[in-house]
């Protein structure tokens, strides 16, 4: 197998949004680099239970705004 067929796998430091750091092995960057995260499980709404931006506006919200008042015909009881 060719040696240049595999990426360099080395140790980096990952810095979370709350300032905590941990070391892991990765192909990102160079040996000893620090990867600073902009969002992680301590700050992301999916893990923290915060509001979702999609509720404020998106494809479904635009559809409901445009067609929300239309009543579909069907069986009358």
């Amino acid at each position: 197998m060719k040696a240049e067929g595999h990426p360099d796998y080395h140790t980096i430091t990952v810095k979370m949004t709350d300032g905590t750091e941990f070391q892991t092995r990765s192909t990102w960057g160079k040996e000893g680099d620090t990867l600073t995260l902009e969002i992680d499980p301590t700050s992301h709404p999916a893990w923290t239970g915060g509001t979702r931006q999609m509720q404020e506006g998106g494809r479904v919200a635009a559809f409901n705004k445009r067609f929300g008042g239309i009543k579909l015909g069907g069986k009358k009881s």
Side-chain angles (χ1 to χ4, degrees):
M1 186 175 282
K2 295 180 181 178
E4 63 273 356
H6 297 280
D8 180 32
Y9 192 62
H10 49 270
T11 303
I12 65 166
T13 302
V14 178
K15 185 174 183 180
M16 306 287 271
T17 57
D18 63 359
T20 58
E21 297 181 352
F22 66 92
Q23 288 192 336
T24 188
R25 293 182 51 83
S26 176
T27 58
W28 179 86
K30 299 182 300 275
E31 178 77 31
D33 280 354
T34 300
L35 174 63
T36 304
L37 300 179
E38 294 177 4
I39 195 157
D40 61 22
T42 62
S43 64
H44 194 281
W47 289 288
T48 61
T51 59
R52 294 179 51 167
Q53 289 180 356
M54 296 216 22
Q55 292 173 344
E56 297 167 5
R59 306 286 295 176
V60 174
F63 178 87
N64 287 336
K65 182 178 178 183
R66 185 170 178 187
F67 299 108
I70 296 176
K71 303 219 186 263
L72 299 176
K75 281 185 164 180
K76 291 186 178 181
S77 322

